[in-house]
Amino acid sequence: MQTILGAGGQIATELARELHDRFGVPLRLVSRHPRAVHPSDEVFAADLTDPAQTDAAVAGSDIAYLTAGLPADAKLWAEKFPAIMRNAIDACARHGAKLVFFDNTYMYPMTSEPLTEAAPFDPQGPRAKVRAEIATMLLDAMAAGRVEAVICRAPEFYGPAQTQSFTNALLLGPIARGERGRVPLRDDTLRSLIWTPDASRAMALIGNTPAAFGQTWHLPCDPERRTYAQLAALASDLWGVEARYTVAPAIAFRAAAVFDKGARTIVELLPRYAHDNIFVTEKFAQAFPEFRVTGYPEGIAALRPTG
């Protein structure tokens, strides 16, 4: 049995498909209001901030994937995420389950320096500090031998269906609707973006590779990085539309953040858009050379608007 803690989001849903279709494992999908992805899936309602409910959700699992997300509210993150991580570690330790944690890059330095798995944490905002805290909590538990675990870290998303990302929301989505997009700060810095189905496929592969545990892995993205100007031009060519966008200054996002909690997240990460963002994935490429990464032309083509 392999269990997804925090089922229902785009990453978790794609993960469930990959685990079922490629690895053929029985699945338990856990969230407050879980829904099966396949007829054979077991659904298990649980609040992951509750230790007893998390323990029950993990019981009988060989591997648990922690993919839980929360609304973009710094206070909520500080209250909930450490409890969720603590409960997942405790439950996996109690039941002898391996833990696969789906992580992001909020805690990394927001400079042009290439980011490898050895990059130091340098959190610069409240959400970034929470992400650094929970990643460190898991690393400490791994080092102490409490739990056999692996960290799968992904950069910013872009992708199909309900993919939630700044790139989708600010640039690609508006262009697809015939509207003017917005680009934070600059359109000439290189971006590292991961196609969401690739993130889920790679996480499933790592989770089912015993030698991968005890480490942090950067999940694969197209090494031919593009600027937002290039991505907009690519969308224009592939979709046959006019790709219009405005390069918005920091003050515009800070003004929006006064009224919009979601906008506060991008304000926290704004310095990242002033520099090239080079997320290095060579470790994964060398370990899993047969994995096919979705290139930007293929990904952008798949997002072509219909109707």
Side-chain angles (χ1 to χ4, degrees):
M1 171 75 72
Q2 298 193 10
T3 295
I4 300 177
L5 302 173
Q10 183 69 15
I11 292 293
T13 299
E14 295 285 354
L15 174 62
R17 293 192 181 110
E18 184 71 5
L19 291 171
H20 176 273
D21 296 348
R22 177 170 180 182
F23 296 98
V25 297
L27 293 177
R28 177 184 294 157
L29 307 184
V30 180
S31 68
R32 287 178 179 270
H33 305 287
R35 298 179 63 180
V37 178
H38 315 94
S40 60
D41 294 343
E42 175 188 344
V43 295
F44 192 105
D47 176 357
L48 296 178
T49 65
D50 182 279
Q53 293 184 44
T54 306
D55 187 87
V58 170
S61 304
D62 300 307
I63 301 173
Y65 299 82
L66 181 56
T67 62
L70 290 171
D73 182 299
K75 185 173 184 290
L76 189 66
W77 279 35
E79 291 175 352
K80 303 294 187 182
F81 265 136
I84 290 171
M85 177 59 79
R86 186 179 308 110
N87 293 341
I89 292 170
D90 290 347
C92 287
R94 175 180 172 81
H95 295 288
K98 296 180 180 179
L99 179 59
V100 180
F101 175 44
F102 182 69
D103 199 9
N104 65 27
T105 62
Y106 280 27
M107 75 295 291
Y108 276 161
M110 291 185 284
T111 69
S112 59
E113 288 296 313
L115 299 169
T116 69
E117 288 86 350
F121 291 175
D122 184 25
Q124 294 300 311
R127 295 168 191 82
K129 290 175 182 176
V130 171
R131 297 302 302 199
E133 177 186 354
I134 63 175
T136 301
M137 189 186 302
L138 180 54
L139 289 169
D140 289 346
M142 292 162 64
R146 288 196 61 218
V147 65
E148 188 173 2
V150 63
I151 295 175
C152 297
R153 187 163 288 140
E156 184 182 334
F157 303 154
Y158 83 112
Q162 302 302 312
T163 294
Q164 297 183 23
S165 77
F166 298 133
T167 297
N168 272 33
L170 295 177
L171 182 65
L172 298 177
I175 290 174
R177 296 190 298 270
E179 302 169 1
R180 183 180 294 275
R182 288 185 296 160
V183 168
L185 306 191
R186 295 174 60 170
D187 66 353
D188 61 347
T189 55
L190 296 172
R191 314 317 307 158
S192 291
L193 305 173
I194 192 167
W195 180 249
T196 46
D198 283 2
S200 299
R201 290 193 302 119
M203 181 164 44
L205 179 57
I206 289 171
N208 286 277
T209 302
F213 281 77
Q215 306 175 57
T216 295
W217 293 85
H218 280 186
L219 299 181
C221 54
D222 187 347
E224 298 297 325
R225 298 168 185 87
R226 308 287 180 104
T227 66
Y228 276 138
Q230 291 169 330
L231 288 172
L234 187 60
S236 179
D237 291 342
L238 294 174
W239 299 350
V241 301
E242 181 184 3
R244 299 175 299 132
Y245 65 88
T246 298
V247 177
I251 191 172
F253 291 98
R254 293 193 178 101
V258 174
F259 307 100
D260 183 352
K261 289 183 178 180
R264 293 171 199 164
T265 302
I266 195 170
V267 168
E268 183 176 331
L269 299 173
L270 274 178
R272 178 166 295 161
Y273 295 90
H275 310 281
D276 291 341
N277 178 230
I278 309 299
F279 183 79
V280 179
T281 61
E282 273 81 355
K283 176 181 174 179
F284 182 93
Q286 291 172 7
F288 303 101
E290 302 303 315
F291 187 96
R292 192 182 71 80
V293 178
T294 302
Y296 286 118
E298 182 181 354
I300 297 296
L303 298 179
R304 179 172 183 156
T306 58

